[in-house]
Amino acid sequence: MNLEIVSFFSDVDDNTYYSDHAKRLIEECDRLGVSYDIKEKQSEGSYQRNCLSKPKFLLDTLMTKRKPFIWLDIDSYLLKQPDVFDLMIEDFDIAFATALPSISGIKASPIFINNTPNAEEFLISWVKNAEITLQENMKHFDHESLFGLIDFYRKRIRVGFAGPEYCAWPKSQNENTVIMMGLSDVESKKVNLRAMGMSEENIEWQSVGTL
């Protein structure tokens, strides 16, 4: 695999969930021989604000590196080399993993980001959506601010997709799984989900806290 994994971690709520996962993900990259740029970023003060800082971090990374890379949420589990993204460099500006054969299954990690004007434009739009989310005091995270953009851009730029083996639900991995998602259980996430009107049962389902 030639592409670099990019991620950041920002602990929140006096919880070391993210820094603990950073150590584990680095070990997995080393074991698989995958290059990475994983760094600590100062917390924005809450789970939501840290999530919504992701689009700007990605845009800044693209502007600095000026080469294709793969974003991976820090609590993702890398079980195999994510080789499918190497095959996308010639054909796609940006690519996502999806758990379903429809746009509703798209995840905000992993994300393949190519060094193209179209990818840059997409990230700029995502940054603006994240800023609007905060300005209007909406309770959404990075995924919600991303979702509408994919529907808008997928016929305007080259958008690729990887299958469910790149975004397996926590503890549902099998012999085909390349990436398994993590789902944070930090308190400010749960507070935000309650503000979104989510039931306690669904909050726990969305907050597995896998490690």
Side-chain angles (χ1 to χ4, degrees), residues 4-8 25 28-29 38 54 58 69-78 82 85 108-111 166 179-180:
E4 185 178 53
I5 297 288
V6 168
S7 192
F8 72 76
L25 182 57
E28 290 172 355
C29 288
I38 295 173
K54 183 165 86 176
L58 294 178
F69 62 90
I70 303 167
W71 164 265
L72 200 58
D73 283 353
I74 201 68
D75 55 353
S76 304
Y77 286 73
L78 189 62
F85 296 114
S109 172
I111 305 173
Y166 281 81
I179 295 170
M180 182 178 74

Side-chain angles (χ1 to χ4, degrees), residues 13-132:
D13 302 342
D14 297 320
N15 189 315
T16 61
Y17 175 90
Y18 291 104
S19 53
D20 291 342
H21 273 287
K23 294 172 186 175
R24 187 228 0 112
L25 182 57
I26 287 171
E27 290 174 357
E28 290 172 355
C29 288
D30 286 337
R31 184 171 67 251
L32 292 168
V34 174
S35 62
Y36 58 87
D37 182 2
I38 295 173
K39 61 186 65 174
E40 183 172 13
K41 188 173 77 66
Q42 183 175 354
S43 176
E44 302 292 331
S46 73
Y47 173 84
Q48 184 201 30
R49 286 184 172 273
N50 287 344
C51 286
L52 290 171
S53 73
K54 183 165 86 176
K56 181 65 162 55
F57 182 88
L58 294 178
L59 178 60
D60 289 345
T61 298
L62 179 61
M63 301 296 284
T64 300
K65 291 182 177 293
R66 280 304 182 191
K67 65 178 184 179
F69 62 90
I70 303 167
W71 164 265
L72 200 58
D73 283 353
I74 201 68
D75 55 353
S76 304
Y77 286 73
L78 189 62
L79 306 182
K80 299 179 182 180
Q81 289 196 4
D83 294 331
V84 71
F85 296 114
D86 278 337
L87 305 177
M88 294 185 174
I89 294 174
E90 297 299 322
D91 297 319
F92 298 106
D93 299 301
I94 196 160
F96 305 90
T98 179
L100 300 170
S102 68
I103 192 171
S104 63
I106 289 171
K107 308 299 180 182
S109 172
I111 305 173
F112 163 71
I113 298 169
N114 209 342
N115 181 26
T116 64
N118 283 340
E120 184 178 332
E121 178 187 342
F122 184 94
L123 291 176
I124 289 171
S125 295
W126 193 10
V127 169
K128 290 178 180 177
N129 272 11
E131 290 172 346
I132 290 170

